[in-house]
Each structure stands twice: as C-alpha cells, then as structure tokens.
Amino acid sequence: DVFDPERLIECPYNKHHRIRACRFPYHLVKCMKSHPEVAKELATCPFNARHLVPQADLSDHVMKCDDKGFIEQDIVHQSCGFQREQTNTASTWQAPPCEEDWD
C-alpha cells in the first residue's frame, strides 16, 4: 500500500538503507549530509520532494510522476472554487443604503 507508513523505502543515497515511509523525510535530510557527492547528482521532483532521481532522468520522471496528477487536480479544484467564489460574491453584493445628506 502506497499510504502505509510502515512500508520500507529504499534510500536514494545509499541503496543498502531501507527506511520506513513515516521516517523517510528525516532520513533523506540526514543521509544527504552524509553523502554530498551523491546529492550533487540527484534532482528533486517538483511534485514530491521524496522523489530524488538522477538529474539526467528528471524530465522523464516529471512526465511519469504519479503525484503530478494530485497536484493538477488540486490546481483545477482551487481554480474552480476561486471562480465560483468570485461569481457568488459578485452576484450577491449590494451597496448599503446611504443615510448621509451632503446638501
């Protein structure tokens, strides 16, 4: 299961490291400091910071990344919600009655 916090994930810095998913972000930070030469060769996926791939493979990864769909859905959902909110706000607003007499 992709969402199982106990599943084991292979470390991109050291293939012998197998880390529980719930600890993976912390391990990445620690292992990156321990392996700076490997870190220079890896690129971070713009859709999921846990995806570290060789720089040469980044464009291919971005095209196939499963998390891209979630981000695109969020953008569409937020955009539709924003447009709906603007429409509702604009159509229901009325100017308050003016009680001032300037003459």
Side-chain angles (χ1 to χ4, degrees), residues 96-102:
C98 182
E99 297 177 7
E100 297 179 3
D101 184 10
W102 289 61

Side-chain angles (χ1 to χ4, degrees), residues 17-30:
H17 292 172
R18 309 255 313 143
I19 302 93
R20 291 181 299 146
C22 61
R23 298 291 308 156
F24 194 67
Y26 306 105
H27 178 84
L28 285 178
V29 172
K30 179 182 171 189

Side-chain angles (χ1 to χ4, degrees), residues 2 64 97:
V2 176
K64 297 176 182 176

Side-chain angles (χ1 to χ4, degrees), residues 35-77:
H35 299 87
E37 67 287 346
V38 178
K40 290 177 187 176
E41 299 173 9
L42 297 177
T44 304
C45 170
F47 304 114
N48 187 335
R50 296 178 184 191
H51 297 169
L52 296 168
V53 296
Q55 290 181 2
D57 299 340
L58 181 62
S59 61
D60 186 50
H61 172 82
V62 166
M63 296 300 291
K64 297 176 182 176
C65 183
D66 293 334
D67 292 332
K68 179 169 74 170
F70 296 123
I71 300 297
E72 290 171 343
Q73 285 176 350
D74 285 347
I75 290 169
V76 169
H77 180 64

Side-chain angles (χ1 to χ4, degrees), residues 2 4 6 10-12 19 21 25 31 34-35 41 46 49-50 56 61 69 72 81 86 91 102-103:
V2 176
D4 180 10
E6 297 300 316
E10 184 179 281
C11 174
I19 302 93
C31 215
S34 300
H35 299 87
E41 299 173 9
R50 296 178 184 191
H61 172 82
E72 290 171 343
Q86 278 187 326
S91 64
W102 289 61
D103 291 329

